[in-house]
């Protein structure tokens, strides 16, 4: 009931001609959105997908800041984390740090990251199916052809 009230309030705001504000919304459950939120009421539908290779590498580097790890190791882990969310990449690095802390080296090394990755399981197959579903939703809801072309090239 509360969700319905929020939807109705947003739809009312969107329908006002004298509206002088921009409404930005986000959801992690796009399949549950009311069909009243359609092109005409909403200008852009932008899906946020799992990070691409460049984004995964940047996320890894952020969480490994101050730690000496070779570029080769970062690239290997980047390739192995396709389908991981930013939070999961952070968790992977945290697990590697914990492993290093309890290990004999006393500092994080490439092996810690690789071993943490081997022990950190996500269901890649269901992630890829989920990702394809999000691509289809983007194609259904987004009316920006340039954005869709860029999205398709990222596949």
């Amino acid at each position: 009931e509360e969700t319905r009230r929020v939807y109705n309030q947003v739809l009312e705001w969107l329908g006002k001609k004298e509206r002088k504000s921009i409404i930005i919304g986000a959801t992690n459950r796009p399949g549950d959105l009311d069909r009243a939120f359609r092109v005409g009421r909403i200008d852009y539908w932008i899906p946020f997908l799992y990070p691409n290779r460049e984004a995964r590498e940047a996320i890894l580097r952020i969480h490994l800041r101050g730690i000496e790890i070779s570029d080769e190791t970062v690239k290997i882990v980047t390739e192995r984390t396709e389908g991981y969310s930013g939070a999961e990449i952070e968790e992977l690095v945290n697990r590697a740090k914990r492993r290093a802390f309890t290990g004999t080296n006393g500092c994080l090394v490439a092996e810690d990251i690789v071993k943490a990755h081997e022990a950190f399981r996500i269901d890649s197959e269901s992630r890829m199916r989920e990702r394809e579903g999000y691509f289809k939703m983007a194609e259904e809801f987004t009316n920006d052809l340039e954005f869709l072309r860029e999205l398709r090239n990222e596949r």
Side-chain angles (χ1 to χ4, degrees):
E1 182 57 34
E2 185 176 327
T3 301
R4 179 63 46 206
R5 283 196 309 258
V6 170
Y7 278 163
N8 289 335
Q9 183 66 51
V10 171
L11 288 171
E12 184 181 329
W13 287 334
L14 290 173
K16 291 185 177 184
K17 297 278 186 212
E18 67 277 2
R19 176 172 49 95
K20 295 180 182 173
S21 58
I22 297 172
I23 299 172
I24 299 173
T27 181
N28 61 350
R29 299 187 56 156
D32 291 348
L33 283 176
D34 192 301
R35 296 312 243 170
F37 290 105
R38 64 185 183 287
V39 174
R41 284 193 167 145
I42 304 289
D43 293 328
Y44 291 100
W45 289 79
I46 303 171
F48 289 88
L49 302 171
Y50 294 107
N52 63 15
R53 190 188 59 73
E54 292 84 14
R56 291 193 313 274
E57 183 174 334
I59 292 166
L60 270 170
R61 290 190 185 282
I62 287 168
H63 294 294
L64 291 170
R65 192 176 302 141
I67 299 170
E68 291 186 34
I69 294 291
S70 73
D71 287 342
E72 183 63 26
T73 299
V74 170
K75 291 200 181 307
I76 289 169
V77 175
T78 297
E79 294 304 320
R80 291 181 180 180
T81 54
E82 183 175 358
Y84 281 54
S85 69
E88 289 166 333
I89 293 169
E90 179 182 15
E91 175 61 20
L92 173 65
V93 172
N94 288 338
R95 288 179 184 209
K97 288 176 182 177
R98 282 192 297 274
R99 179 180 168 74
F101 182 73
T102 59
T104 57
N105 282 341
C107 63
L108 184 69
V109 294
E111 182 184 352
D112 294 317
I113 297 173
V114 171
K115 293 290 186 186
H117 179 264
E118 289 171 358
F120 188 24
R121 184 183 169 278
I122 66 165
D123 185 356
S124 298
E125 214 173 279
S126 70
R127 287 284 169 92
M128 292 306 130
R129 282 193 307 273
E130 179 184 34
R131 183 177 178 205
E132 286 304 312
Y134 287 147
F135 278 121
K136 286 179 179 148
M137 267 192 238
E139 290 170 349
E140 179 183 348
F141 291 118
T142 304
N143 61 356
D144 187 326
L145 294 177
E146 183 178 341
F147 173 76
L148 287 173
R149 275 193 293 276
E150 289 176 20
L151 193 61
R152 284 187 196 111
N153 288 336
E154 206 171 276
R155 280 183 165 170

